[in-house]
Amino acid sequence: MLSCQTQQAPVKTNMMKPKINKPDAEWEKILTPQQFYILRKKGTDMPGTGAHTYRFEDGSYKCAACGAALFKSDNKYESHCGWPSFDDAIEGAIIMQPDYSNNRIRTEILCANCGGHLGHIFDDGPKETTGKRYCVNSTSIDFVKKESEK
């Protein structure tokens, strides 16, 4: 089983600034306690517990805090790490920055719209696609099912 706790050199960061800038007090009013812990305090879901870890339906994933589109279901894959994993994100949707917390070297991924903590990115994804694994906290995202064509 892979882990989001893997130590590796950070991938290339983009250091963009989020578009929405609210104080924590405002986020606390609109997020559940678990969402606030993950998205604003950089927490981590327990592996295998999230609603989206084993979801493989057609649709898209958006930020649970601000609703910005982040990932397409076409990019989701089973990484066996215990968290939802994607090999790519929607262009411009993710901020990447170095994370040196807990005596590890990782690259944190954040929503480019609101700056919410999503998880981390690693270089151990599918080699036949991007080689990247966006390891995402299930609590940080919402799923929008693709509507059937009529």
Side-chain angles (χ1 to χ4, degrees):
M1 176 187 279
L2 296 172
S3 168
C4 276
Q5 308 307 320
T6 304
Q7 181 164 319
Q8 67 180 51
V11 297
K12 182 180 176 187
T13 58
N14 59 13
M15 301 302 286
M16 298 172 7
K17 297 281 186 206
K19 297 170 187 145
I20 297 172
N21 187 13
K22 292 182 185 180
D24 279 351
E26 285 188 42
W27 288 115
E28 238 174 335
K29 291 176 186 174
I30 60 173
L31 299 173
T32 68
Q34 180 68 5
Q35 287 172 328
F36 184 78
Y37 168 69
I38 300 295
L39 288 154
R40 307 315 307 172
K41 297 299 178 185
K42 302 180 187 282
T44 303
D45 287 329
M46 292 296 294
T49 62
H52 306 302
T53 304
Y54 304 107
R55 179 187 300 271
F56 290 95
E57 299 173 69
D58 284 343
S60 59
Y61 295 83
K62 62 182 185 171
C63 177
C66 71
L70 301 170
F71 303 99
K72 295 178 183 175
S73 61
D74 293 348
N75 296 108
K76 191 168 190 296
Y77 70 99
E78 175 55 71
S79 67
H80 305 285
C81 75
W83 291 272
S85 297
F86 302 86
D87 66 359
D88 208 356
I90 293 172
E91 188 173 340
I94 303 292
I95 294 172
M96 291 181 241
Q97 65 184 27
D99 177 0
Y100 301 107
S101 65
N102 301 316
N103 296 318
R104 288 177 272 178
I105 302 170
R106 299 176 293 174
T107 301
E108 179 184 16
I109 55 174
L110 305 140
C111 172
N113 195 49
C114 72
H117 171 75
L118 303 171
H120 294 87
I121 185 171
F122 301 98
D123 287 324
D124 58 6
K127 299 297 178 213
E128 63 276 6
T129 59
T130 65
K132 302 293 182 199
R133 174 171 56 104
Y134 292 75
C135 186
V136 179
N137 288 293
S138 194
T139 300
S140 71
I141 54 177
D142 287 328
F143 178 72
V144 178
K145 190 172 185 172
K146 183 178 181 179
E147 292 189 28
S148 302
E149 293 182 344
K150 296 180 181 182

